[in-house]
Amino acid sequence: MQSVISIKNLSKTYADGFQALKDVSLEIEDSEILALLGPNGAGKTTLISIVCGLVNPSSGSVEVSGHDIISDYRAARELIGLVPQELTTDAFQTVWQTVSFTRGLFGKPAKPSYIEKILRDLSLWDKKDNILMTLSGGMKRRVLIAKALSHEPRILFLDEPTAGVDVELRKDMWDVVRGLRASGVTIILTTHYIEEAEQMADRIGIINKGELVLVAQKAELMRKLGQKQLALHLREPLERLPGGLDDYELELSSDGRELTYLYSTQGKRTGVRGLLSALQGAGVEFKDLDTKQRSLEDIFVTLVKEQS
Amino acid sequence: MNLQGVKAIYRFEMERTWRTIFQSVVSPVVSTSLYFVVFGSAIGSRIKEIDGISYGAFIVPGLIMLSLLTQSTANASFGIYFPKFTGTIYELLSAPISYFEIVLGYVGAAASKSIILGLIILATANLFVTIEIAHPIWMLTFLVLTSVTFSLFGFIIGVWADGFEQLQIVPLLVVTPLAFLGGSFYSINMLPEFWQKVTLFNPVVYLISGFRWSFYGVADVGVGVSLAMIALFLSLCLGIVWWIFRTGYKLKP
């Protein structure tokens, strides 16, 4: 795979001394969807802001399709569309005006047929003459996406695109993203939600405290991380695990009343059925059971531990 | 050169003028007419002539200058402050557009508005008194140079301002007093000698004097000095704008 964005040893320290990025290097491949995961303040937005030209890097370099983002910023920026995290729109323009404005700002001559297509795809066509200030939050989010697409970018950055967004918009948005990907657009999105990354991304990068902890193919990562936990609440406390259950690597709680079993949802077999019949065979009875997805936070803890 | 980008900014700013036509054009015309009626008739009935020009006609260049200075500053500062305030500045910074082109769009639009406004005020004044323009080319030169210079000045204020109060304070507390004290309504030769000297530190004196010379051929200070002062102030503003973009001051952390 050819890389479309090449980030080398990028660091950023803000004027107040806060170090938002520490020596980040990352190759983003052509036509992939890369999800950047990380808690608030991890440096995701700073990374995007540097690539897009909103923040000056302290050191390191970024190339977009071989164009340096500083010395050759025009060529680099022409290729990029950015949907910011905050709902920042002008107040008094119409939807049509603001989307056309962005296209002009990016140096492209007017092309009403293309703007119409974007607005239709994003279910904004019937709002095209509405004043921005009168739109709901969800509609503004759509407008921001339309603006970012107005100049036909080859790379699209979506910074927390689904924060505070309803189900319908999320669905529309992912349809648009899939369509863009199919047409060869590279997409970089940041998110808090692992399910989102799981659904959409080809690769996942994890940022924590300004460091890129890990970048991996989604399938690989999900195998590692996409585990569920089954908890069995026993009728009678056990002193120790009965024989014949060794294969399942069960964990017995200290009071002997709860058994936990970790399994992967990605594998062909979860082993849950086998476990339950093995328990029956061993005469262990349970009164209740529940399953729990490992949260992003658990995954972080694991990863950060692994890393150090 | 991203001409489409410059055009987009310019159009955006001009559309803002049409949206706020009352605030942008009608209100300066009304207030100028009021100055004209009040100063022209109240004082004009006592002062017949200054340098051989009727008082009513004498104040016209000063009135135009007063509006040019305050409106250029206010328009250009608001134009760049508002995207900073709403956050839409991210678009400008992420677009393939140079700083020079951004300034060209914003300052070009603000200066255009001021020039149009100046001409409207001139036409309005023409309804009250007969105005001759001795040096029309120089008149337009002063009009354009002043509009551009003070639009640049406004752009700087807009980048610097952290709130609406700071945005207002410079046009209200600096530009307006300097324009009033710079001989909009009188010739500085009418002042006591000491105040004449003090007034020479007011940069606006040179603008008004030069502009008035282009109308009537009379001036408080030499025309060359007036032009030099505008050129100096223009280069100063250009230098500051260049520095703002080079360092990313208040725009780009």
Side-chain angles (χ1 to χ4, degrees):
Chain A
M1 268 292 194
Q2 205 188 345
S3 70
V4 68
I5 297 182
S6 168
I7 299 169
K8 291 202 175 77
N9 308 105
L10 198 64
S11 293
K12 174 65 187 177
T13 307
Y14 286 102
D16 61 4
F18 176 69
Q19 197 177 1
L21 287 180
K22 296 169 190 161
D23 199 30
V24 169
S25 294
L26 172 66
E27 298 291 319
I28 298 171
E29 290 159 11
D30 198 13
S31 315
E32 74 168 336
I33 299 183
L34 174 73
L36 292 171
L37 290 169
N40 286 323
K44 304 185 295 288
T45 300
T46 300
L47 180 63
I48 289 185
S49 300
I50 290 176
V51 178
C52 294
L54 308 185
V55 170
N56 290 316
S58 302
S59 64
S61 68
V62 181
E63 280 184 6
V64 179
S65 274
H67 306 290
D68 185 86
I69 55 157
I70 292 169
S71 62
D72 197 6
Y73 67 94
R74 280 189 210 263
R77 291 183 196 168
E78 263 170 19
L79 300 169
I80 298 177
L82 166 65
V83 181
Q85 192 173 340
E86 310 288 337
L87 289 176
T88 46
T89 59
D90 185 68
F92 307 105
Q93 283 186 302
T94 65
V95 170
W96 181 270
Q97 282 173 329
T98 198
V99 177
S100 307
F101 169 74
T102 308
R103 187 176 167 90
L105 205 56
F106 277 75
K108 292 274 169 91
K111 192 171 167 189
S113 60
Y114 179 73
I115 306 280
E116 177 174 343
K117 183 189 172 303
I118 306 174
L119 294 185
R120 286 193 190 278
D121 287 351
L122 287 160
S123 316
L124 276 171
W125 183 245
D126 56 335
K127 304 263 185 207
K128 73 181 165 66
D129 297 318
N130 288 34
I131 303 291
L132 291 170
M133 166 165 88
T134 64
L135 298 179
S136 67
M139 284 296 160
K140 281 187 183 158
R141 179 72 67 189
R142 288 170 199 254
V143 171
L144 289 179
I145 299 170
K147 278 163 83 75
L149 295 176
S150 66
H151 61 281
E152 304 163 67
R154 301 305 304 152
I155 301 160
L156 182 66
F157 282 92
L158 294 157
D159 197 358
E160 303 275 351
T162 47
V165 151
D166 61 21
V167 181
E168 198 187 340
L169 172 52
R170 200 174 287 207
K171 196 185 143 291
D172 276 7
M173 195 157 74
W174 293 142
D175 287 347
V176 170
V177 167
R178 282 194 194 95
L180 287 169
R181 212 277 286 265
S183 70
V185 175
T186 307
I187 292 149
I188 298 100
L189 59 95
T190 70
T191 179
H192 284 69
Y193 309 114
I194 191 143
E195 312 85 59
E196 218 163 77
E198 189 178 343
Q199 269 181 21
M200 299 301 306
D202 301 310
R203 282 201 307 159
I204 292 177
I206 294 186
I207 299 188
N208 192 34
K209 292 182 181 152
E211 284 176 273
L212 193 61
V213 179
L214 170 129
V215 190
Q217 292 295 328
K218 176 181 70 178
E220 185 191 322
L221 195 65
M222 294 319 284
R223 222 176 6 256
K224 232 195 253 178
L225 306 170
Q227 287 183 319
K228 279 186 111 175
Q229 191 181 44
L230 171 68
L232 295 156
H233 306 280
L234 306 178
R235 202 170 284 281
E236 300 293 336
L238 288 175
E239 276 181 29
R240 55 185 177 79
L241 285 171
L245 295 170
D246 296 348
D247 290 351
Y248 295 99
E249 295 178 347
L250 295 174
E251 225 175 273
L252 185 63
S253 65
S254 54
D255 62 359
R257 287 183 175 276
E258 197 178 299
L259 276 176
T260 46
Y261 168 58
L262 283 178
Y263 63 97
S264 167
T265 51
Q266 303 291 309
K268 275 211 180 91
R269 282 188 196 142
T270 59
V272 172
R273 225 169 77 178
L275 172 67
L276 293 185
S277 44
L279 282 171
Q280 204 173 22
V284 178
E285 287 186 37
F286 52 93
K287 53 183 180 187
D288 197 7
L289 59 86
D290 59 64
T291 67
K292 197 164 73 179
Q293 179 92 47
R294 288 185 45 180
S295 70
L296 182 57
E297 219 153 297
D298 298 339
I299 291 166
F300 265 119
V301 173
T302 321
L303 271 173
V304 173
K305 262 188 201 157
E306 272 176 17
Q307 204 70 17
S308 56
Chain B
M1 181 90 181
N2 180 355
L3 278 178
Q4 291 287 347
V6 177
K7 220 171 83 185
I9 296 174
Y10 186 87
R11 262 184 59 179
F12 175 85
E13 282 297 296
M14 293 312 271
E15 274 165 10
R16 193 163 64 78
T17 312
W18 304 131
R19 265 202 315 266
T20 55
I21 190 92
F22 276 93
Q23 190 203 317
S24 302
V25 176
V26 179
S27 91
V29 169
V30 170
S31 59
T32 307
S33 302
L34 284 174
Y35 282 131
F36 203 78
V37 171
V38 174
F39 282 86
S41 54
I43 301 174
S45 61
R46 285 159 205 273
I47 306 173
K48 284 291 172 240
E49 283 187 343
I50 298 178
D51 299 334
I53 306 146
S54 80
Y55 184 72
F58 180 85
I59 64 171
V60 172
L63 282 177
I64 295 174
M65 238 349 141
L66 181 67
S67 283
L68 281 191
L69 302 186
T70 50
Q71 290 300 312
S72 300
T73 313
N75 268 322
S77 62
F78 192 80
I80 188 68
Y81 178 75
F82 199 62
K84 245 179 62 183
F85 175 72
T86 58
T88 53
I89 188 118
Y90 84 87
E91 262 195 302
L92 285 175
L93 297 176
S94 67
I97 188 164
S98 71
Y99 299 140
F100 173 73
E101 288 154 1
I102 293 176
V103 172
L104 201 61
Y106 278 103
V107 170
S112 303
K113 278 182 228 179
S114 296
I115 291 166
I116 294 169
L117 191 70
L119 295 175
I120 292 174
I121 293 171
L122 186 61
T124 313
N126 203 32
L127 301 175
F128 294 92
V129 287
T130 332
I131 297 161
E132 324 142 31
I133 302 171
H135 311 284
I137 303 289
W138 282 112
M139 192 277 277
L140 285 174
T141 308
F142 273 107
L143 190 71
V144 171
L145 276 179
T146 308
S147 301
V148 170
T149 304
F150 277 77
S151 297
L152 273 170
F153 178 66
F155 188 89
I156 295 166
I157 302 299
V159 171
W160 163 79
D162 289 321
F164 281 99
E165 200 190 351
Q166 285 183 331
L167 196 65
Q168 302 273 2
I169 222 161
V170 175
L172 285 179
L173 289 185
V174 181
V175 178
T176 307
L178 285 180
F180 267 86
L181 298 174
S184 296
F185 301 106
Y186 53 85
S187 162
I188 61 168
N189 297 326
M190 295 160 76
L191 297 174
E193 202 166 328
F194 173 73
W195 290 109
Q196 281 189 35
K197 292 267 183 318
V198 172
T199 302
L200 291 178
F201 287 99
N202 177 354
V204 178
V205 165
Y206 302 91
L207 302 180
I208 293 177
S209 168
F211 197 47
R212 189 174 285 136
W213 169 83
S214 72
F215 278 78
Y216 307 120
V218 292
D220 290 342
V221 293
V223 184
V225 181
S226 290
L227 277 171
M229 285 301 282
I230 298 186
L232 182 72
F233 199 53
L234 181 66
S235 350
L236 192 67
C237 290
L238 280 173
I240 295 172
V241 168
W242 177 80
W243 174 84
I244 283 175
F245 282 123
R246 212 184 62 104
T247 58
Y249 174 73
K250 295 222 181 176
L251 291 177
K252 201 168 164 180

